[in-house]
Amino acid sequence: MADLAKIGVYGLGTMGSALALNIAENGFDVAVTNRETSWIKDFVAEAGALSDRITGYESLDSFIQGLSKPRTILFMIPSTKPMDDMIETISPLLDEGDTIIDGGNANFHDTRRRSALCAERGLHFVGMGVSGGEAGARKGPSMMVGGTAASWTELKPVAEAISAKFEGNPCVDHLGPDGAGHFVKTVHNGIEYADMQLIAEAHSLLHNGAGMSHADVGGLFENWDKGALKSYLMEITAKTLQATDTVTGKPMVDVILDKAGQKGTGRWTVIEAVKMGQSATIIEAAVAARAWSSEKPMRETAETILGGHRAAIELDPTVLEQALLAARVLDYAQGFRILKAAADEYDWPLDYARIAEIWRAGCIIRSALLDDISDAFRSELPEGQLILAPKFADVLKQGVPALREVVAKAVSAGYAIPALTSAIGFYDSLRQGRGTANVIQSQRDYFGYHGFERVDAEGAHHGSWWDK
């Protein structure tokens, strides 16, 4: 390989190794190193023909000296204390204008703090959200970049080359300064949580409610994946539902414990939404469902005390398909509302149409809806709201009646469908010109003398609750 590498990758775990190979395969010389130095030689040896473009270094100093200036180093390590420690360790070894990239799932507040710290030291700090898992990292991820314009100039040729492509267009872009990229990735994951929960609830209604086998539901989902519900998550769920456990011969999903983990990004989405005065009820329902799933012993006890009976339901798969499409539109709408709130809060120049385009390939939430979402944001959008775009208003007019029917039947029969229920609640709340907050304001004024606005006069007012 050349004497100096275009980019360095620190961290040869699953994602770091895949990205390093991707970089090399796309014609760039890459330097690599790892905390456990014993991994380095094995990685380079296993790279095969790509090893000509990969040089491993066992010391941090030699690793840095192996990079062309200005240096760009991608860290694929935990975005918590290890990242802070690494900044302190590596900063004295770098020159002004060098770039540190955090490619992990970082809390964007940490990214903003680290960005300011590095700027004080004359360094660039990039928070880059990477979606697509190991396969995406190796063959083409979707990447959301936040940082300085100068750092993007250096990173752009590599990032565009290794990214997923949608009809030839790179699924990566510079979205704004400091924590913008990591925040967009966080919201991406929040939408992902909700989409996964919605699909899981649809499966439950078809399997437990309508009596379809897992394989038949998988086949149905496979057909849905050919239409408006086409998405990566629908595609892989169709496959998992039709898989058989080689040990027991049972459907694979029947031998999987019903406890789901989470790494924090869904929870962060909900927390930040609430902080900014926004609603993320569908995402929150998905996060809550995972939390409740971890309480397996309690749920089993509750079933014996409270009863876990669920009645059979008659469910037209076509109606459920329409309901799921409507819920997915509402899920995305919530996500983009959160992005808009963050852009206002942190003065980020987020391009919502471009974000939708970045998500069209490589990432977990890639779906057929994203082209329409991009088009909507590039058009005149009433109140800036995705659900008011003509395309989606029509989808909801057709799909919401189906969503109401599904929710009503499921709730009446005793099925837990927190995400589907939250979707219809969100929709109904936004379409009411006059809601319920007038009563809330009367209560607040009565017990706390908080005051309220009147519909017929400006200024703050109080009620006559205390008049005798």
Side-chain angles (χ1 to χ4, degrees):
M1 65 172 285
D3 291 337
L4 297 177
K6 172 67 176 175
I7 189 170
V9 175
Y10 184 104
L12 294 176
T14 300
M15 292 293 287
S17 296
L19 285 168
L21 293 172
N22 189 351
I23 292 168
E25 191 167 58
N26 278 281
F28 297 95
D29 295 325
V30 56
V32 300
T33 191
N34 194 71
R35 186 182 66 175
E36 294 84 0
T37 56
S38 61
W39 294 16
I40 300 170
K41 287 183 179 179
D42 289 342
F43 170 73
V44 175
E46 292 169 5
L50 295 178
S51 62
D52 289 344
R53 289 201 172 273
I54 301 172
T55 300
Y57 295 93
E58 294 193 358
S59 74
L60 192 58
D61 185 67
S62 61
F63 169 69
I64 291 169
Q65 296 308 313
L67 297 170
S68 61
K69 297 181 180 180
R71 303 178 184 93
T72 299
I73 306 173
L74 170 61
F75 288 91
M76 298 303 297
I77 61 178
S79 297
T80 48
K81 188 175 184 296
M83 191 69 236
D84 287 323
D85 290 345
M86 181 53 68
I87 291 172
E88 294 306 313
T89 300
I90 203 170
S91 291
L93 305 177
L94 298 177
D95 296 327
E96 185 173 346
D98 289 349
T99 297
I100 297 171
I101 305 171
D102 178 3
N105 275 334
N107 187 307
F108 84 103
H109 290 297
D110 289 334
T111 306
R112 299 187 76 217
R113 171 178 56 78
R114 290 163 182 157
S115 180
L117 175 64
C118 287
E120 292 174 1
R121 299 174 179 178
L123 303 172
H124 301 289
F125 188 83
V126 169
M128 184 172 75
V130 181
S131 179
E134 179 184 5
R138 180 64 184 88
K139 294 298 183 181
S142 170
M143 295 178 288
M144 295 136 266
V145 178
T148 62
S151 63
W152 175 239
T153 297
E154 292 298 320
L155 175 61
K156 183 178 180 179
V158 176
E160 289 190 339
I162 70 170
S163 72
K165 307 297 187 297
F166 184 85
E167 297 179 354
N169 296 312
C171 292
V172 60
D173 214 333
H174 179 234
L175 302 178
D178 51 71
H182 272 150
F183 187 85
V184 172
K185 175 58 163 57
T186 295
V187 174
H188 163 286
N189 285 24
I191 294 171
E192 176 186 311
Y193 272 54
D195 205 6
M196 293 172 72
Q197 179 65 26
L198 289 167
I199 293 171
E201 291 177 11
H203 163 263
S204 175
L205 295 179
L206 289 167
H207 176 66
N208 298 313
M212 291 179 64
S213 70
H214 296 300
D216 285 345
V217 177
L220 181 63
F221 284 4
E222 194 173 334
N223 286 330
W224 288 359
D225 190 50
K226 299 173 184 176
L229 283 172
K230 182 177 178 57
S231 70
Y232 174 70
L233 285 170
M234 185 61 69
E235 173 192 343
I236 65 170
T237 309
K239 292 177 180 178
T240 65
L241 292 175
Q242 295 180 79
T244 300
D245 176 38
T246 56
V247 176
T248 63
K250 296 179 180 179
M252 194 72 231
V253 290
D254 275 345
V255 301
I256 299 175
L257 187 64
D258 58 327
K259 292 172 63 174
Q262 53 182 307
K263 294 184 177 179
T265 45
R267 182 170 62 249
W268 293 345
T269 304
V270 175
I271 291 170
E272 296 307 321
V274 172
K275 282 183 179 178
M276 294 183 294
Q278 279 300 315
S279 163
T281 53
I282 309 173
I283 299 170
E284 194 281 331
V287 172
R290 291 201 191 187
W292 297 330
S293 78
S294 69
E295 300 183 62
K296 178 74 170 176
M298 186 282 293
R299 289 187 287 114
E300 290 176 333
T301 301
E303 183 173 355
T304 63
I305 297 173
L306 304 177
H309 175 71
R310 295 171 296 184
I313 54 176
E314 291 186 10
L315 196 60
D316 183 344
T318 302
V319 172
L320 181 57
E321 180 182 15
Q322 294 171 338
L324 188 56
L325 178 60
R328 176 175 278 175
V329 169
L330 294 167
D331 168 23
Y332 277 103
Q334 282 194 355
F336 279 96
R337 281 168 59 87
I338 297 167
L339 292 175
K340 175 62 168 63
D344 294 341
E345 179 79 13
Y346 299 104
D347 195 26
W348 290 335
L350 297 182
D351 183 337
Y352 311 111
R354 185 69 187 115
I355 290 169
E357 290 169 352
I358 290 170
W359 291 346
R360 291 182 301 183
C363 77
I364 303 301
I365 64 169
R366 56 188 185 266
S367 74
L369 282 176
L370 288 164
D371 266 336
D372 292 330
I373 291 173
S374 178
D375 290 344
F377 278 115
R378 294 197 189 283
S379 305
E380 199 68 33
L381 201 56
E383 299 295 324
Q385 298 298 311
L386 198 59
I387 63 171
L388 301 183
K391 167 74 175 183
F392 292 116
D394 286 344
V395 170
L396 292 172
K397 284 178 183 177
Q398 295 176 34
V400 166
L403 182 57
R404 292 192 194 286
E405 179 181 337
V406 168
V407 170
K409 285 184 176 181
V411 171
S412 296
Y415 290 87
I417 51 164
L420 287 167
T421 304
S422 295
I424 196 63
F426 172 63
Y427 174 82
D428 282 338
S429 294
L430 286 195
R431 72 185 185 90
Q432 299 295 329
R434 182 167 174 81
T436 58
N438 53 326
V439 176
I440 302 294
Q441 289 298 79
S442 74
Q443 294 166 342
R444 294 179 71 243
D445 188 59
Y446 192 100
F447 67 67
Y449 202 64
H450 291 290
F452 51 78
E453 294 178 88
R454 293 179 62 97
V455 298
D456 54 3
E458 295 183 356
H461 301 270
H462 295 284
S464 55
W465 339 110
W466 309 278
D467 295 347
K468 294 183 179 180

